[in-house]
């Protein structure tokens, strides 16, 4: 908590003597009126209230009540000093935030101790993927805030609440909860204000503060984000006069463009390909959707992909954890062996991780080399001996690590911003000018100087660009006349393949069934690490033959049919990618992601998975980086 004690009900009861204030909802009025003490304010009453409205125990005072002047005390609430005179901070009753905050003392989040138990929305009714608040002693989630503390950018934006943040936190938490209850329509102040239930003139001040809190949270990308169609700009007029050029229509570019357009800025997106999506590229040629690039959402809680699925009504298929690991000749691997080697593999990674914390950059060695060294030392000191099968299963886990890094383990257009506006010239000679430019091209294109910058990018940024690796994995998808794998795999989402030798480690180590328990017959696999050199100069048909040789080994007991259709990806040769995702090269550090993300002179901005230190290598990271840069561009 923030060091306060839980508020006493006695202190809370003292405001029972104060009447509620409510605002007239007629568009040409909006005056604040004081209710009599016995009238309880509810969200539905606040939504419908008009001057002179007949309420219980109150006679209607005629239709022309809007012409009556507003109470003079309301004007005093607007003064900046007013809130500093409050004896008690406002405690909101019946806040929609309460079911999200059941793990906290009420005083930490600006809610009434008597009101939190009566919310009609219980935690079990909430989307399990939406957790906007950190639970106590939890850390490191995207789009998540501490409910009882202001973050640095909030303190910077609202310094007046630094002494006592209770009012700000109550409003911010209310806004977040309101958005997560219904994220399909833009959230407006008019929808949030009726839920601000607190007695006295402080309610007037709270509703006025919402006019600042909601746009800030919108700009930050905490609310009003994802696939939203807006008729009205989400940010007020001063933000609208900027022209922004976004280079690249991948996940980060499209995320930023959508945010900026919804904010009310003028946005143009420039894309070199004939399609949008960048390294997200769905292929339906095999009768079922297969991602040539990104396909699996890792970690759905607070994931913007999960948010957009909710907004669009798209169901996500959860991958089961069951994974048969098959050996050449087709026999299944004993789960106990897999579990044992998985344990040793993770223990080795833990040792490497601790070693790296202690070492300076100039003592760095390739990850693969260090793993072998730790592994060897472990075997010597423990006296353990692994069987040939156990050794092979360890290689299987190493191939999965190479999949995660998009790299073998021994490696783990013109923009002129010299003037007041930025000038961009494309390869076909088209010219654009803008106040700000957002560059979202893959890291490999920055490394290859595909874009000429004038003046050149700062040395610090160039060094960071070259300290990360541009990793590659390739995919193969095969459509078959029938599901020959069903009997052995029994409806699992994927099955593994123990490599017959270390040099074949990344060659089709996992096969994904694109429609488990479905009627389509499509398997997808990946080629990673050193195995990429084995297929680099092969034709697609030759890669398919290699893959079929593996499948026929794994399902030796039956006739494995030839594929009806297939495709093989070529990301390494793709002119506008030359990679799949970034990794930290030997000698590099995670800080490079932050440096690449820095803007240059407040004119040229950078987004993409290689600019997101916390969520690199993912569409989630790319998307969040686009939202991050949209916030920076709109603010400057």
């Amino acid at each position: 908590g923030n060091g306060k004690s839980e508020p006493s009900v006695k202190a809370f009861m003292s405001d029972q003597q104060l009447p509620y204030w409510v605002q007239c909802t007629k568009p040409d009025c909006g005056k604040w009126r004081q209710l009599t003490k016995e009238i309880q304010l509810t969200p539905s009453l606040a939504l419908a209230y008009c001057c002179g409205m007949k309420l219980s125990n109150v006679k209607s005072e005629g239709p022309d009540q809007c012409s009556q002047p507003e109470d003079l005390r309301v004007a005093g609430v607007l003064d900046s000093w007013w809130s500093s005179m409050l004896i008690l901070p406002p405690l909101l009753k019946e806040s929609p935030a309460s079911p999200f905050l059941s793990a906290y003392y009420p005083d930490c989040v600006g809610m009434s101790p008597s009101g939190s138990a009566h919310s009609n929305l219980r935690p079990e009714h909430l989307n399990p993927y939406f957790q906007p608040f950190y639970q106590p002693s939890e850390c490191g989630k995207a789009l998540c805030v501490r409910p009882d503390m202001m973050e640095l950018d909030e303190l910077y934006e609202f310094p007046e609440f630094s002494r006592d943040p209770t009012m700000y936190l109550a409003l911010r938490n209310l806004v977040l909860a309101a958005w997560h209850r219904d994220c399909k329509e833009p959230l407006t102040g008019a929808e949030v204000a009726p839920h601000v239930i607190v007695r006295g003139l402080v309610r007037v001040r709270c509703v006025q503060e919402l006019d600042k809190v909601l746009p800030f949270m919108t700009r930050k990308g905490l609310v009003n984000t994802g696939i939203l169609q807006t008729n009205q700009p989400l940010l007020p007029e001063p933000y609208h006069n900027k022209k922004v050029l976004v280079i690249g229509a991948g996940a980060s570019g499209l995320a930023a463009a959508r945010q900026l357009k919804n904010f009310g800025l003028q946005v143009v997106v420039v894309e070199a390909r004939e399609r949008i999506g960048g390294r997200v590229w769905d292929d339906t040629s095999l009768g079922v959707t297969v991602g040539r690039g990104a396909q699996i959402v890792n970690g759905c809680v607070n994931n913007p992909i999960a948010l957009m699925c909710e907004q669009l009504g798209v169901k996500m298929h959860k991958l089961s954890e069951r994974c048969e690991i098959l050996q050449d000749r087709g026999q299944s691997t004993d789960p106990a062996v897999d579990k044992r080697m998985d344990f040793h593999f993770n223990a080795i990674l833990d040792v490497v991780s601790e070693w790296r914390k202690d070492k300076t950059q100039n003592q760095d060695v390739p990850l693969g080399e260090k793993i072998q060294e730790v592994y060897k030392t472990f075997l010597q000191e423990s006296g353990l001996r692994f069987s040939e099968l156990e050794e092979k299963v360890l290689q299987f886990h190493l191939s999965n690590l190479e999949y995660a890094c998009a790299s073998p383990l021994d490696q783990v257009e013109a923009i002129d911003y010299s003037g007041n506006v930025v000038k961009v010239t494309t390869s076909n000679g088209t010219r654009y000018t803008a106040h700000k430019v957002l560059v979202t091209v893959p890291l490999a294109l920055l490394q290859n100087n595909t874009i000429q910058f004038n003046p050149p990018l700062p040395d610090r940024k160039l060094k960071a660009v070259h300290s990360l690796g541009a990793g590659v994995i390739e995919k193969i998808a095969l459509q078959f006349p029938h599901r020959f794998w069903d009997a052995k795999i029994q409806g699992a989402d994927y099955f593994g393949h123990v490599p017959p030798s270390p040099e074949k480690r990344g060659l089709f180590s996992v096969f994904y069934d694109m429609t488990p328990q479905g009627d389509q017959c499509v398997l997808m696999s990946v080629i990673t690490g050193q195995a990429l050199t084995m297929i680099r100069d092969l034709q697609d048909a030759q890669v398919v033959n290699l893959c079929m040789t593996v499948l026929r080994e794994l399902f030796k007991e039956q006739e494995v049919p030839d594929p009806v259709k297939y495709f093989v990806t070529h990301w390494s040769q793709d002119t506008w990618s030359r990679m799949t995702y970034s990794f930290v090269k030997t000698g590099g550090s995670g800080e490079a992601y932050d440096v690449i993300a820095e803007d240059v002179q407040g004119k040229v901005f950078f987004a993409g998975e290689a600019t997101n230190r916390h969520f690199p290598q993912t569409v989630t990271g790319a998307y969040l980086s686009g939202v991050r840069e949209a916030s920076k561009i709109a603010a400057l």
Side-chain angles (χ1 to χ4, degrees):
N2 56 6
K4 292 184 186 174
S5 60
E6 192 167 354
S8 69
V9 176
K10 186 179 172 190
F12 176 75
M13 298 282 288
S14 65
D15 90 340
Q16 298 296 317
Q17 307 309 310
L18 297 170
Y20 283 107
W21 289 74
V22 66
Q23 197 170 18
C24 178
T25 54
K26 287 184 188 168
D28 51 352
C29 179
K31 294 190 180 83
W32 285 91
R33 305 299 187 193
Q34 184 178 349
L35 301 176
T36 54
K37 283 180 190 171
E38 66 273 16
I39 293 178
Q40 293 287 330
L41 183 63
T42 62
S44 54
L45 172 58
L47 267 171
Y49 181 80
C50 297
C51 293
M53 184 175 170
K54 185 171 182 181
L55 301 166
S56 56
N57 306 327
V58 180
K59 286 179 183 171
S60 173
E61 296 177 26
D64 61 341
Q65 287 301 302
C66 286
S67 60
Q68 297 295 318
E70 191 172 60
D71 191 304
L72 291 174
R73 289 173 291 174
V74 172
V77 175
L78 288 168
D79 286 336
S80 57
W81 55 266
W82 190 89
S83 55
S84 66
M85 307 299 288
L86 289 174
I87 296 166
L88 289 170
L91 296 168
L92 305 190
K93 300 176 188 175
E94 301 291 340
S95 172
S98 59
F100 290 92
L101 297 168
S102 51
Y104 289 88
Y105 282 125
D107 69 312
C108 297
V109 287
M111 291 192 310
S112 134
S114 62
S116 57
H118 307 299
S119 170
N120 60 0
L121 194 69
R122 301 263 48 90
E124 61 269 18
H125 297 137
L126 302 174
N127 186 314
Y129 297 143
F130 297 168
Q131 293 174 18
F133 304 107
Y134 284 119
Q135 294 303 304
S137 73
E138 183 184 46
C139 63
K141 276 201 307 233
L143 304 175
C144 209
V145 295
R146 278 283 300 272
D148 55 343
M149 272 176 66
M150 290 177 75
E151 298 191 340
L152 283 175
D153 56 350
E154 294 176 308
L155 288 163
Y156 183 76
E157 192 88 6
F158 300 98
E160 64 273 25
F161 290 113
S162 58
R163 191 176 60 85
D164 187 346
T166 312
M167 182 191 290
Y168 174 81
L169 293 172
L171 295 175
R172 177 253 260 162
N173 294 349
L174 168 57
V175 167
L176 269 177
W179 166 244
H180 283 92
R181 285 173 70 165
D182 179 17
C183 58
K184 292 177 183 172
E185 297 294 330
L187 185 67
T188 64
E191 288 163 342
V192 181
H195 294 283
V196 177
I197 306 292
V198 60
R199 289 180 181 270
L201 277 162
V202 73
R203 180 163 191 268
V204 179
R205 183 57 177 262
C206 284
V207 170
Q208 287 163 344
E209 290 295 338
L210 272 179
D211 289 341
K212 292 190 283 184
V213 174
L214 182 57
F216 168 74
M217 293 174 68
T218 296
R219 198 187 82 216
K220 196 174 169 182
L222 285 172
V223 302
N224 289 334
T225 187
I227 304 281
L228 272 193
Q229 298 288 354
T230 59
N231 299 323
Q232 296 292 319
L234 296 174
L235 295 187
E237 192 67 44
Y239 290 94
H240 300 175
N241 57 2
K242 282 184 203 144
K243 192 173 174 187
V244 182
L245 188 70
V246 176
I247 298 176
S252 56
L254 293 176
R258 171 64 67 114
Q259 291 284 102
L260 291 165
K261 186 175 183 298
N262 284 352
F263 291 170
L265 283 75
Q266 303 165 55
V267 188
V268 173
V269 180
V270 181
E271 170 55 53
R273 306 175 190 274
E274 292 294 309
R275 62 174 180 82
I276 62 167
R279 287 167 279 172
V280 180
W281 184 12
D282 285 347
D283 188 308
T284 54
S285 65
L286 306 184
V288 57
T289 303
V290 181
R292 282 177 171 261
Q295 173 143 356
I296 296 168
V297 181
N298 291 309
C300 294
V301 173
N302 288 5
N303 195 313
I305 311 296
L307 169 75
M308 289 187 280
C309 287
E310 174 78 8
Q311 290 171 326
L312 292 167
V314 173
K315 271 190 78 69
M316 290 192 289
H317 169 70
K318 187 176 181 183
L319 294 178
S320 64
E321 290 181 15
R322 190 164 66 81
C323 176
E324 286 282 339
I325 299 179
L326 304 180
Q327 301 161 40
D328 277 357
R329 312 200 67 74
Q331 64 267 49
S332 291
T333 304
D334 180 350
V337 172
D338 179 38
K339 200 172 177 184
R340 183 181 179 206
M341 297 319 292
D342 188 39
F343 171 79
H344 287 304
F345 172 68
N346 284 313
I348 290 168
L349 287 184
D350 288 343
V351 173
V352 173
S353 174
E354 287 303 313
W355 167 82
R356 200 165 193 292
K357 281 180 197 166
D358 292 344
K359 298 295 168 196
T360 55
Q361 289 295 330
N362 59 7
Q363 291 173 292
D364 214 354
V365 299
L367 177 57
E369 203 177 291
K370 192 67 191 174
I371 284 176
Q372 289 303 329
E373 184 193 313
V374 171
Y375 176 52
K376 223 168 159 181
T377 308
F378 165 72
L379 290 179
Q380 282 169 356
E381 290 179 1
S382 66
L384 271 177
R385 285 290 167 267
F386 291 132
S387 68
E388 187 186 347
L389 172 61
E390 287 172 330
E391 289 279 5
K392 286 179 177 177
V393 172
L394 182 64
Q395 293 295 329
F396 168 77
H397 287 293
L398 284 169
S399 76
N400 275 339
L401 180 61
E402 291 180 328
Y403 183 13
C405 299
S407 145
L409 296 180
D410 60 0
Q411 284 205 352
V412 174
E413 315 182 336
I415 298 177
D416 184 338
Y417 60 101
S418 56
N420 291 332
V421 293
V422 187
K423 297 172 186 168
V424 175
T425 310
T426 66
S427 51
N428 67 4
T430 312
R431 295 190 172 176
Y432 299 90
T433 58
H435 298 107
K436 319 267 178 199
V437 167
L438 175 61
V439 178
T440 73
V441 301
L443 174 73
L445 300 194
L446 291 178
Q447 292 176 337
N448 296 342
N449 300 317
T450 304
I451 295 176
Q452 303 297 311
F453 290 91
N454 179 32
L457 293 177
D459 286 347
R460 163 183 163 82
K461 187 178 279 285
L462 288 173
K463 188 180 172 195
V465 163
H466 290 285
S467 75
L468 291 181
V472 176
I473 66 164
E474 300 294 2
K475 285 186 168 184
I476 180 171
L478 307 156
Q479 181 186 12
F480 293 98
H482 62 265
R483 299 169 59 84
F484 63 85
W485 58 90
D486 266 357
K488 193 177 279 188
I489 305 309
Q490 298 171 341
D493 289 297
Y494 41 79
F495 56 92
H497 155 223
V498 176
S501 60
E503 59 274 11
K504 290 190 174 176
R505 189 165 68 212
L507 208 54
F508 321 117
S509 58
V510 181
F511 287 89
Y512 293 86
D513 183 342
M514 300 316 294
T515 53
Q517 295 130 2
D519 52 357
Q520 299 292 339
C521 318
V522 178
L523 291 177
M524 182 269 284
S525 190
V526 289
I527 304 139
T528 62
Q530 295 292 6
L532 287 163
T533 57
M534 295 169 64
I535 65 145
R536 186 169 295 147
D537 301 321
L538 299 183
Q539 299 294 317
D540 287 1
Q542 294 173 293
V543 178
V544 171
N545 286 339
L546 276 178
C547 191
M548 292 308 299
T549 303
V550 169
L551 283 170
R552 288 186 169 122
E553 253 326 291
L554 300 184
F555 296 90
K556 224 175 173 63
E557 69 287 350
Q558 60 177 290
E559 189 71 32
V560 174
D562 285 334
V564 183
K565 270 188 187 170
Y566 59 80
F567 68 72
V568 179
T569 63
H570 301 280
W571 289 106
S572 63
Q573 294 155 37
D574 184 302
T575 312
W576 302 112
S577 295
R578 299 182 183 276
M579 66 178 295
T580 48
Y581 38 73
S582 62
F583 63 95
V584 179
K585 273 202 300 201
T586 305
S589 87
E591 192 190 351
Y593 287 100
D594 294 338
V595 177
I596 299 171
E598 291 170 2
D599 64 88
V600 181
Q601 295 182 14
K603 295 182 213 167
V604 184
F605 297 78
F606 295 84
E609 58 86 20
T611 71
N612 192 325
R613 183 177 190 167
H614 300 291
F615 303 95
Q617 310 173 335
T618 62
V619 179
T620 300
Y623 183 95
L624 291 170
S625 74
V627 171
R628 175 197 73 213
E629 294 308 301
S631 177
K632 280 159 63 175
I633 288 167
L636 283 162

